[in-house]
Structures are given as C-alpha cells and as structure tokens.
Amino acid sequence: MEMFLALLGGVVSVLGLLLGYVSHRRHQRTRIGYRLVADSPLAQNIDGIENLGIHYDGRVLTRPRLMVLEIINVGNVPIRPDDYQDDLGVTFPEGVEIVWSSVQGTPASVTADVRVVAESVRIGRPLLNGEDVLTLQVLADGDGADVRVDGRGVGFSQVEKLAGPSTAGRGGLLGSPSSIALMTLVSIALITTAWLVYTLWPDSGGAEEVQKFDVAVGDTIGKNLPEEGAGELVDGNPADEYTFTALKGTRVYVQQLDCADTFGRVLSLRRAQGDKVPGFYEATARCPSSEAVELEEAGPYTLRVALGYGSLPQTYSIKIWDAPVDKRNIGLDNPIEGRIEQPGGRDEFTIDAQAGDRIAFALNAEKGLRPKWSLRAPDGREIGKSDLYPYIDPIDLDAEESGTYRLVVESVDTTTGDYVLLPRDEKKS
C-alpha cells in the first residue's frame, strides 16, 4: 500500500510541477520597484551655535544625512541590461547636494556602475533576476525629502515606489478556473509528498527557522556563546531568540558590541505573551543600542535577533546589562559626585524645594563620559533637559511649586565615567 501511494504521489507531483511551469510561463510579469529604508541626519545645528557640521574630504557639510534605498526586481522575469531604455536615475529635491554614493547587491553578484550627475545619481543598467536587490547608499548635504527613482524599459514603464518590506512576485497563479484547478492539484501533490516523507523517512527534516537559547541578565552573547550556533545568522537560520527570566522592576540595557556592520539586523524584546516591551527601540539603521527599559512584570522575556536585509552569514555580539538606578536625596547647595559605572546606567536625585527656589547645577563630566540630564516637577512633568551638549545647557530653573523634584543623570550611548554636579552661585540675568 505504501509503495502504491508513493507511485501515486510521484505521478501527481510531476504532473503538478509540469502544469505549474506552463502556468508560470503564461503569467510572467516584469516589475521593478524601490523604497527608502533609511534617512538619517548625521549632525544637527543647535540654537546659538553656528557653522556646526561634519568634515568630509576637505569640506564642511552643514546638513549631512545618510540615505539608503533598495531597488528591487519585484516581478518574476529577469531584467537584463539591454532591457533598459537608459540608466536608472535617482533624483533628489532642489538644494540637496550629493556628496558620495555607492551600491552593493544582494546577492553579491548584483553589480552596477554609479555616478553623481548634478542633483541626481545615475545607476548603470543592473542585471536583476527575480527578488534581486540593489542597495544604494548616498551621503548628501541638505534637508531630507522625497527621493524618486526613474527608469523605463522592456516590460515596465516606470520604477514603482514600494511601501513596507520588499516583496517579489511569485508568478500570478491565481485568477482563472484553470489556475484554481492547478493550485488544487499542486496542493494535493504537496500534501501527498509530505505525508510520504513523514511516513517513510520520519527522521528526515531541515534546519529550524529560529534557533532558541537560554541566557540570563548580565550575559554576553557572541559567536557560539552561550552555546554552539549562537551569535550568527546563517542560511536556514535567519533569526535567533534568547530567553531570560527577570523580576518586576528589573532595568535592562541591551548593548550591541559590534558596530562594524551598520545595517542588516533587527533587535526586538518581547514578553512571554509575545507583546513588545514598551520603550524598547527596534531598528536596523545605524548601531546605537536601545534605551534601557524597566520591565513591568516578572517572568520570561525574549530578545530576538533577526535579519533585516543583506547577505548571510552575519555574526553579532550583544551584552544584556542589568542596569539598576542609583537613587539619592540631595540639597541645593552642596557639590554632588556621581559615577555611571556601566552602559545604560542612571542616577536619580530627589530634591526637596520650595516654590521660588532656584534649582541650578553645572554638570561637569570626566573624560570618557557624555552625560545628559532631565528635571521633573513633583507632578511628574518634565520641565527641563539637556540637548546634545550639557555644558551649553546647564540646569538652571526656578521651582514653580513646593515639593520633591527629580533630577535624572544618565549617559549618552554606551559612555561611562565620573561626573560632578556643582551648585551655580551666579543669579540668572
């Protein structure tokens, strides 16, 4: 009986594949699209500071930004160099100056020439098979705005603007009665084949899609750490999950230790029920770690590391810090010494003040630490904070009401070190 089912399943599978191939040839389509996946300012002017910028190749960029676009074959027909009417053109709004650009392909065999022409980037006619991706990185000087990719060729009249994750066409097998019959036949073939494989070869199977590991708060994750297979995304395993248990109120800081690869991975932190942890920042662009988050309930939590885009394999290294808050009550007239001992660290100071009291401190940091501060009123409202430069934004406010004020000092990114809060003697002008 099993031999008969095997023969029947083989015949049905071959017939389904032949019909699928014929239908695929009948439903071929040519489509090419693009999407903007990152647009990150690299410097930001601050009121009172002029000529702030970034030096590049002997010049100063006053509004530098890094933009990343994906150009994708979302059809099921290869687009060859001879199919294009002209080179692809990426245009930017008036006033945006293109400083530098480069391309890389997924897979790596996807290549193209790139050159800057006035306020546009020209990309030389890439060979794109179905689902191939050409990633364009552009360093520009100017304000961000809509970017457009133009092109025309055999089978397509425009380059489509895509929304959300890139998706490639799969052949368009649905619609006609013959297509519905075909899909039914193919489904029967797949179910029969799967049943036979499970029955005749019960121990066979491929690699799992997600690798799962147990860790603890305070652990470092890296290649083959905590065990073999960790710290690396490979073909067949584009995501890893690390589960740890924490108490209610535990404050954790997830630090990315390797920042050479600035794109390609997505980090997410979720509760046991699968919902996201509020305040945990999820992104692929750049490499700064998420802000430290306080866990609102006890139990297991899962840190997921997944492939955003790019080629495999990719290795990574992460540390899950236990980042408790050091809390102290201070006065208005005494110097306060503090220290951020580890990435994600935070100090919270409570200040008892009467309405009209002046809350004024200078925040002086030792070498290595880049601190920031925020001040909250007794009702929890934020009434003051530093921007990027605490030395330019000292703490200097009048208490609007009597009560306990809360001053928070923490580090920028992963910096650590000592600092001093010095009372400011001079009255505000």
Side-chain angles (χ1 to χ4, degrees):
M1 184 63 179
E2 289 183 348
M3 183 61 68
F4 171 76
L5 290 174
L7 292 174
L8 177 62
V11 172
V12 173
S13 298
V14 171
L15 181 60
L17 291 174
L18 289 175
L19 290 178
Y21 174 78
V22 173
S23 180
H24 172 75
R25 296 290 295 178
R26 292 178 58 192
H27 292 82
Q28 286 182 325
R29 58 180 179 171
T30 303
R31 291 179 60 206
I32 183 171
Y34 74 97
R35 64 177 181 142
L36 182 66
V37 298
D39 184 6
S40 304
L42 302 182
Q44 181 176 356
N45 282 316
I46 300 173
D47 292 339
I49 301 180
E50 298 180 354
N51 302 322
L52 177 65
I54 288 180
H55 286 266
Y56 175 81
D57 197 20
R59 56 185 294 188
V60 176
L61 310 181
T62 59
R63 292 172 295 170
R65 60 194 318 108
L66 179 64
M67 288 177 273
V68 180
L69 297 94
E70 287 182 341
I71 300 172
I72 311 162
N73 182 349
V74 289
N76 57 9
V77 176
I79 302 175
R80 298 176 175 83
D82 292 339
D83 293 337
Y84 297 87
Q85 188 178 59
D86 200 352
D87 292 347
L88 296 176
V90 184
T91 58
F92 300 81
E94 183 177 358
V96 175
E97 181 181 4
I98 310 305
V99 178
W100 167 89
S101 64
S102 70
V103 294
Q104 64 181 25
T106 304
S109 58
V110 178
T111 60
D113 294 328
V114 60
R115 65 188 187 280
V116 176
V117 180
E119 295 174 352
S120 68
V121 175
R122 308 296 293 180
I123 301 175
R125 311 188 187 195
L127 168 61
L128 295 175
N129 293 316
E131 301 183 6
D132 281 359
V133 180
L134 191 67
T135 302
L136 172 69
Q137 300 184 66
V138 177
L139 175 63
D141 194 20
D143 295 326
D146 289 338
V147 179
R148 188 177 74 252
V149 179
D150 297 314
R152 182 180 178 85
V154 178
F156 66 95
S157 59
Q158 64 178 352
V159 182
E160 305 171 25
K161 185 174 183 179
L162 306 175
S166 58
T167 56
R170 296 292 182 178
L173 296 179
L174 298 178
S176 65
S178 60
S179 297
I180 296 174
L182 169 65
M183 293 304 296
T184 302
L185 185 59
V186 172
S187 298
I188 295 174
L190 292 176
I191 293 173
T192 303
T193 303
W195 181 84
L196 288 173
V197 169
Y198 178 77
T199 302
L200 300 179
W201 297 280
D203 294 331
S204 65
E208 295 181 355
E209 181 179 356
V210 178
Q211 295 188 107
K212 299 184 177 182
F213 306 91
D214 291 326
V215 294
V217 175
D219 284 356
T220 298
I221 298 167
K223 187 173 182 180
N224 296 326
L225 185 70
E227 57 185 88
E228 184 177 356
E232 184 175 24
L233 302 177
V234 298
D235 290 329
N237 295 97
D240 294 333
E241 292 184 351
Y242 301 89
T243 299
F244 60 88
T245 300
L247 299 175
K248 179 180 179 179
T250 299
R251 189 167 177 270
V252 297
Y253 178 72
V254 178
Q255 180 189 5
Q256 297 189 58
L257 301 178
D258 55 335
C259 290
D261 180 13
T262 55
F263 297 94
R265 296 187 297 274
V266 178
L267 273 64
S268 62
L269 185 63
R270 299 179 182 268
R271 299 188 180 100
Q273 303 89 331
D275 52 329
K276 297 180 180 179
V277 173
F280 190 87
Y281 178 71
E282 303 178 9
T284 58
R286 301 183 298 171
C287 192
S289 303
S290 172
E291 296 288 339
V293 291
E294 184 173 320
L295 305 180
E296 298 178 351
E297 57 186 55
Y301 290 81
T302 297
L303 175 66
R304 179 183 175 93
V305 184
L307 177 68
Y309 65 89
S311 59
L312 294 173
Q314 289 189 19
T315 59
Y316 57 89
S317 182
I318 295 170
K319 184 172 178 65
I320 305 175
W321 289 94
D322 180 4
V325 178
D326 183 14
K327 299 182 179 181
R328 283 183 282 171
N329 183 266
I330 63 175
L332 293 172
D333 302 322
N334 300 318
I336 306 298
E337 294 182 355
R339 176 174 176 79
I340 304 297
E341 295 185 351
Q342 64 183 47
R346 169 188 285 185
D347 291 340
E348 290 189 4
F349 302 100
T350 53
I351 304 171
D352 297 320
Q354 301 297 316
D357 284 350
R358 182 185 178 210
I359 304 175
F361 292 93
L363 178 54
N364 296 333
E366 299 294 334
K367 183 177 180 181
L369 175 65
R370 291 178 56 206
K372 58 183 179 180
W373 63 267
S374 66
L375 183 66
R376 294 187 178 273
D379 60 5
R381 290 180 299 110
E382 186 177 66
I383 58 175
K385 66 177 181 178
S386 62
D387 200 338
L388 297 178
Y389 302 93
Y391 306 103
I392 301 173
D393 300 307
I395 307 161
D396 198 346
L397 298 165
D398 289 331
E400 298 178 354
E401 57 182 311
S402 300
T404 300
Y405 289 75
R406 183 161 61 95
L407 173 64
V408 175
V409 178
E410 54 192 331
S411 65
V412 176
D413 294 335
T414 59
T415 62
T416 59
D418 297 318
Y419 66 90
V420 178
L421 289 172
L422 295 174
R424 294 169 59 84
D425 297 327
E426 298 180 2
K427 298 294 183 181
K428 293 191 295 182
S429 59

